[in-house]
Amino acid sequence: MITIKNEREFRKMAVAGACVAAVHEAVVEAADVGVTLRKLDGIAADVIRSRGCTPSFLNYQGFPAHICTSPNEVIVHGIPGDYRLAPGDILSIDAGAVYEGYHGDAALTIGIGDLDEEARRLLEVTRRALWEGIDRARAGGRVGDIGHAVERAAAPHGYGVVRDYVGHGIGRAMHESPQIPNYGVPGKGTRLKRGMAVCIEPMFNLGTHQTLTKADGWTVVTADGKRSAHFEHTVALTADGPVVTTVSDLLTARPLG
């Protein structure tokens, strides 16, 4: 578990986070009907290199790409390949970058063309849940405060809250302690401390919370084949409250209401 000790360390995480935001901006702009996921991965690789960073995901435990692209029923860890985006698809894009040893990690889910109301609501609720969790990522609180806020956002809609994959600490490694589940009990779990950095990442499914992993060993899908959404930010816990380091206009606009 990293503790950010000074402004220099925070700046490195902010540079990595800004790179991740730039990846999302470029990939979202390019994502359109007929575009392959492999092409989106190439765009991400170019952005990461141009910003003097290295990809967190490439070769991580053998992962073969720069970003994860997860369409429709794919929850996380989708490998960019020859699939061509189709009208009505939803696509989760998870990106990570390293700058001078410090990581940034974020994800978002977008629609391709016009979405049905069910998909639009899923994306908005999952994005809202991310911000509910961020608001509770405060020094002196507990991990359970975050998870409870995220889970509560899903409850009125009957969404499956993914339990097999969770948020995490981040810093000099992409995955550090503590784990940040998308469910929990307020006041329970690891104490949150000033200087910690965490990734909060709601994953909500239209159906069951249960998951399956495909034969490639990476691609995680919903057990019932229904669609899934995923949003994530890297958040530093400061004396003034949570600060998002993976800043982007696409990701920081808070939902209304």
Side-chain angles (χ1 to χ4, degrees), residues 101-103 168-176:
Y102 288 81
H103 289 256
H168 51 90
I170 188 171
R172 293 190 65 85
M174 182 167 57
H175 294 115
E176 300 185 354

Side-chain angles (χ1 to χ4, degrees), residues 42 71 108:
L108 79 171

